[in-house]
Amino acid sequence: MATLHVKVVPGASRDRIAGKLGDALKVQVSAAAERGKANAAVMPVIAATLGLRESDIQIVRGHTQPRKTLHINGIEQEELDRRLA
């Protein structure tokens, strides 16, 4: 299992990874930050980038904050870092 820190920017014009922001990955999503819509929109973006299933990704910290910690199953930390480099 790997850990990924993300900074979610809701209300963007499109869903995408916008780059690194310190130790986090900046993810822009078009969904609004209400009732978990932005959280749900992050999963397909990360899954598609890493070539994994959405069900392999879980938010473990920061459900109501822009900065979140994700646990990613099916990949080791070294492989995650390599894929995101």
Side-chain angles (χ1 to χ4, degrees):
M1 177 179 1
T3 300
L4 178 64
H5 300 283
V6 296
K7 163 77 164 78
V8 179
V9 180
S13 60
R14 61 187 174 122
D15 296 348
R16 69 183 185 123
I17 293 180
K20 291 267 188 176
L21 184 65
D23 68 336
L25 194 63
K26 186 175 180 181
V27 181
Q28 296 177 329
V29 294
S30 56
E34 59 184 30
R35 293 180 297 226
K37 291 179 184 176
N39 287 348
V42 169
M43 302 306 177
V45 175
I46 299 294
T49 300
L50 297 176
L52 298 171
R53 299 177 308 223
E54 290 179 43
S55 61
D56 291 331
I57 303 167
Q58 296 178 316
I59 298 174
V60 293
R61 188 176 307 139
H63 291 280
T64 61
Q65 303 296 320
R67 290 194 175 264
K68 302 178 186 316
T69 301
L70 309 177
H71 278 178
I72 303 173
N73 294 315
I75 190 170
E76 295 298 323
Q77 190 68 46
E78 296 80 25
E79 179 64 15
L80 173 68
D81 295 340
R82 186 186 67 74
R83 290 185 189 185
L84 294 176

